[in-house]
Amino acid sequence: ETGVTQTPRHLVMGMTNKKSLKCEQHLGHNAMYWYKQSAKKPLELMFVYNFKEQTENNSVPSRFSPECPNSSHLFLHLHTLQPEDSALYLCASSPRDYTKETQYFGPGTRLLVL
Amino acid sequence: AQSVTQLGSHVSVSEGALVLLRCNYSSSVPPYLFWYVQYPNQGLQLLLKYTTGATLVKGINGFEAEFKKSETSFHLTKPSAHMSDAAEYFCAVSDRGGTASKLTFGTGTRLQVTL
């Protein structure tokens, strides 16, 4: 039990669909992250939120829209995705947005875009 | 800017044998170094990290890693492999004092443990 949950665990969507990924952390952390994990590529940081404020957008296309209503919840809204967006999307949290601090990861959402 | 190179995308060892997963980094300043493990259908879990102090770092599940500045390496070892160690392992590096956006991951090494 990592304390970070993600739903759904698997998602298949067409390019015209709109869907949302949800992440919840039960660790009392103040920083939350979205990562994209693709085969044969390093983990890519997408967004960082610290105390509900977005502190990093790593040149992510606008078809990915994050939302952080509070320090415990993080969403990733998806629309008009492309097949190359198929990947494992990981959520993580840490006490604060410092690299020294351990990040705790959820199990991920496996996304397939058709 | 920092970078990480993990030598060998796949490593296979026999149960009971030494595990050695290689990680070399590049950083313009003294780094923080991390090893994460990812079991099938799970997220990443921290094995160990080096921030300051002793260069030999002990982690969970019997793993350890040694920070060697002269070799710019942070190799992960375990004296005796167990079947449950089969997973993917990621090395990561960051500059000191930076934010999480400065954390750079390697491409991973998949460890297979055979009987």
Side-chain angles (χ1 to χ4, degrees):
Chain A
E1 175 59 53
T2 63
V4 180
T5 59
Q6 290 187 243
T7 55
R9 293 294 308 275
H10 297 87
L11 180 61
V12 180
M13 59 187 290
M15 291 193 289
T16 59
N17 291 159
K18 290 184 179 182
K19 296 287 184 182
S20 295
L21 310 184
K22 179 183 177 182
C23 175
E24 183 173 2
Q25 58 95 0
H26 310 273
L27 301 169
H29 291 166
N30 294 303
M32 297 187 77
Y33 315 84
W34 280 117
Y35 285 91
K36 177 182 180 182
Q37 186 177 28
S38 305
K40 309 296 185 186
K41 295 177 68 175
L43 210 61
E44 300 173 59
L45 180 65
M46 301 174 71
F47 301 103
V48 180
Y49 279 82
N50 199 36
F51 291 92
K52 301 189 301 178
E53 298 298 320
Q54 188 180 118
T55 56
E56 183 75 20
N57 177 338
N58 196 19
S59 302
V60 180
S62 59
R63 58 185 182 269
F64 295 91
S65 175
E67 178 188 2
C68 188
N70 54 62
S71 293
S72 299
H73 294 86
L74 185 64
F75 295 88
L76 188 62
H77 304 299
L78 316 172
H79 65 95
T80 341
L81 293 191
Q82 304 298 311
E84 60 265 29
D85 297 323
S86 299
L88 181 68
Y89 289 85
L90 293 166
C91 173
S93 71
S94 66
R96 292 168 303 175
D97 178 23
Y98 295 151
T99 48
K100 182 178 181 178
E101 296 183 351
T102 301
Q103 293 185 28
Y104 294 81
F105 286 80
T109 295
R110 177 75 60 186
L111 174 65
L112 177 61
V113 181
L114 302 177
Chain B
Q2 65 268 27
S3 64
V4 175
T5 301
Q6 291 186 241
L7 296 174
S9 59
H10 288 84
V11 171
S12 182
V13 300
S14 301
E15 190 174 34
L18 171 72
V19 176
L20 171 60
L21 304 182
R22 299 178 185 274
C23 173
N24 288 89
Y25 68 90
S26 171
S27 178
S28 57
V29 297
Y32 293 146
L33 294 158
F34 307 78
W35 275 101
Y36 280 86
V37 61
Q38 186 176 30
Y39 298 103
N41 300 313
Q42 294 187 30
L44 279 68
Q45 178 184 6
L46 183 73
L47 273 178
L48 49 81
K49 64 181 177 182
Y50 168 76
T51 54
T52 58
T55 55
L56 181 62
V57 182
K58 295 186 184 299
I60 61 172
N61 302 338
F63 285 92
E64 62 182 36
E66 186 170 11
F67 168 53
K68 292 188 176 181
K69 183 179 178 181
S70 61
E71 299 177 9
T72 61
S73 69
F74 192 58
H75 302 330
L76 182 70
T77 60
K78 181 174 181 177
S80 177
H82 192 272
M83 295 296 290
S84 60
D85 295 326
E88 188 147 24
Y89 292 79
F90 295 89
C91 183
V93 64
S94 74
D95 290 343
R96 292 175 178 273
T99 60
S101 62
K102 303 301 185 289
L103 186 63
T104 301
F105 285 85
T107 52
T109 298
R110 185 167 298 278
L111 176 66
Q112 181 183 19
V113 182
T114 59
L115 289 172

